[in-house]
Amino acid sequence: MSESPANSPMTAVVCHAPNDYRVERVERPRPGRNELVIRIAACGICASDCKCYAGAKMFWGGASPWVKAPVIPGHEFFGYVEELGEGAAAHFGVSIGERVIAEQIVPCCKCRYCKSGQYWMCEVHNIFGFQREVADGGMAEYMRIPATAIVHKIPLGISLEDAAIIEPLACAIHTVNRGDIQLDDVVVIAGAGPLGLMMTQVAHLKTPKKLVVVDLVDERLALASEYGADVIINRRKDDAIAIVRSITDQYGCDVYIETTGAPAGVPQGLEMIRKLGRFVEFSVFGEQTSVDWSIIGDRKELDLRGAHLGPYCYPIAIDLLARGLVTSKGIVTHGFSLEEWDEAIEVANSLDSIKVLMKPRHKERH
């Protein structure tokens, strides 16, 4: 006789400390009232996961560390509704077996930001995969979705790889929208990692006058070109600032989107952007960066904008993927089982990959 879900263990990656993530057998979650349990189909490894694994201070340091271990990591997940808690079907509008995704943040629904509709800036700020107070993340066979989570259905026509990039794609859409791209703008996207390549596809749909992508890896720049970049620049080989000035009558770009994850991307953008331009900062840095702030005010009067998460953008991401206007092809490069975590994080931390997915090996279902 098979074990019931109540006492059946599952395989998960568990974060205990920097560089101490273990594949363990843990208790399978059960849903409470208005909660779901989903069977994970895939969970991406984000750049923030890599920085967290490496022990970046922004995650572990300070009086209130962002990570509260032990916790199952993973916020780029999607899966199938496996169990419904009491009232959950009506609460979320879902049924057993449907493909769903929950937004990465679990709003508290009580703070000033949540009450005003700005839930992505929730003061409590529980995000799947970093704190266990609300729920663990998606690097496991099963995952509990709490009642205050924001859940979206995924149409069956969307492939596994495309479904797995909905979370970062929503972030990319929000970031591009923050740039307020106009038809006559020259737009620079600094960084051609997974997010930068998704931003390239989304920015291309905005049809700017020129779309420029800057990176250090030729293979990623070639992908950016396929995705609609008009100009690609390898900063190791060419003077990116000089090239951008040459195509803008020496003024500089109108919009600069920083998604390199490297502190050097910030001063590069401040020098590259024109006066009165729009600088959008998306990256999660592993270390501090410093700049001459007088550039922002006295010299250029820049419009400096941050971009955090993907608020109100999940339905847009799902629609763009369903219509084939954005793709994961070329971005999703590797897939590993949970048991292969050590290899997966090593590959994710290298330039051999772009997006790495964790795919649980579920037992045959009867």
Side-chain angles (χ1 to χ4, degrees):
M1 182 176 178
S2 63
E3 294 178 300
S4 68
N7 57 19
S8 176
M10 67 172 184
T11 300
V13 176
V14 181
C15 161
H16 290 274
N19 295 296
D20 185 7
Y21 286 46
R22 310 170 199 168
V23 179
E24 299 178 355
R25 297 289 285 173
V26 301
E27 184 179 350
R28 175 173 159 175
R30 299 301 310 278
R33 179 174 174 77
N34 289 339
E35 294 184 339
L36 307 174
V37 166
I38 64 172
R39 175 168 50 91
I40 297 294
C43 183
I45 298 179
C46 177
S48 62
D49 293 317
C50 293
K51 290 182 172 72
C52 182
Y53 177 80
K57 289 183 178 179
M58 69 161 293
F59 293 102
W60 296 94
S64 300
W66 184 246
V67 179
K68 297 177 181 177
V71 64
I72 298 172
H75 57 274
E76 294 185 3
F77 58 84
F78 83 96
Y80 299 85
V81 177
E82 181 78 7
E83 288 186 75
L84 293 164
E86 181 185 353
H91 179 70
F92 287 115
V94 300
S95 303
I96 294 290
E98 287 190 304
R99 292 203 303 177
V100 297
I101 185 170
E103 297 196 19
Q104 67 278 77
I105 191 166
V106 184
C108 74
C109 300
K110 297 177 181 178
C111 71
R112 64 178 291 181
Y113 302 108
C114 288
K115 287 182 176 180
S116 65
Q118 299 165 320
Y119 67 90
W120 70 101
M121 296 307 298
C122 172
E123 188 68 14
V124 180
H125 223 75
N126 281 315
I127 292 183
F128 287 116
F130 292 103
Q131 310 96 13
R132 181 169 270 180
E133 283 92 338
V134 175
D136 280 306
M139 292 189 192
E141 292 183 88
Y142 299 92
M143 179 179 176
R144 181 176 61 87
I145 306 297
T148 58
I150 303 171
V151 172
H152 305 276
K153 295 182 184 180
I154 304 173
L156 290 176
I158 295 178
S159 70
L160 181 146
E161 289 77 17
D162 280 357
I165 69 163
I166 291 172
E167 186 274 343
L169 178 56
C171 294
I173 293 166
H174 179 54
T175 303
V176 170
N177 284 343
R178 291 285 283 161
D180 191 24
I181 294 171
Q182 303 299 310
L183 296 173
D184 60 347
D185 282 340
V186 173
V187 179
V188 173
I189 296 175
L195 266 298
L197 290 170
M198 292 179 215
M199 291 176 195
T200 300
Q201 296 183 67
V202 175
H204 176 63
L205 295 175
K206 299 279 189 177
T207 62
K209 181 179 180 180
K210 280 280 190 294
L211 179 56
V212 183
V213 177
V214 182
D215 198 78
L216 304 175
V217 182
D218 285 334
E219 292 78 8
R220 296 185 177 192
L221 288 168
L223 267 179
S225 183
E226 290 181 25
Y227 293 151
D230 301 297
V231 180
I232 53 174
I233 305 171
N234 187 322
R235 197 168 62 85
R236 290 189 196 276
K237 304 175 182 179
D238 299 302
D239 187 334
I241 293 171
I243 292 172
V244 170
R245 286 180 174 166
S246 73
I247 62 176
T248 58
D249 295 326
Q250 300 303 314
Y251 286 104
C253 61
D254 302 282
V255 180
Y256 181 89
I257 297 176
E258 201 293 308
T259 184
T260 65
V266 178
Q268 171 185 263
L270 292 177
E271 188 173 352
M272 186 180 289
I273 198 169
R274 68 166 172 85
K275 295 176 182 179
L276 302 175
R278 298 180 296 284
F279 187 116
V280 183
E281 180 55 65
F282 173 80
S283 288
V284 175
F285 296 112
E287 55 185 294
Q288 290 185 348
T289 184
S290 60
V291 296
D292 178 2
W293 274 69
S294 60
I295 297 172
I296 299 167
D298 184 61
R299 286 175 50 191
K300 292 189 175 182
E301 195 175 321
L302 298 176
D303 191 349
L304 186 61
R305 305 179 180 186
H308 180 58
L309 305 185
Y312 301 107
C313 292
Y314 278 66
I316 301 170
I318 291 168
D319 177 65
L320 292 179
L321 290 166
R323 290 193 285 154
L325 295 175
V326 176
T327 181
S328 63
K329 186 177 181 181
I331 294 176
V332 174
T333 55
H334 293 77
F336 294 94
S337 68
L338 297 171
E339 291 81 1
E340 297 171 314
W341 163 257
D342 289 340
E343 183 181 358
I345 190 63
E346 182 178 350
V347 172
N349 261 320
S350 75
L351 292 178
D352 295 330
S353 68
I354 298 179
K355 174 58 66 179
V356 174
L357 301 183
M358 305 300 296
K359 301 177 182 179
R361 293 172 177 167
H362 293 281
K363 295 179 181 179
E364 185 176 349
R365 297 166 61 80
H366 298 282

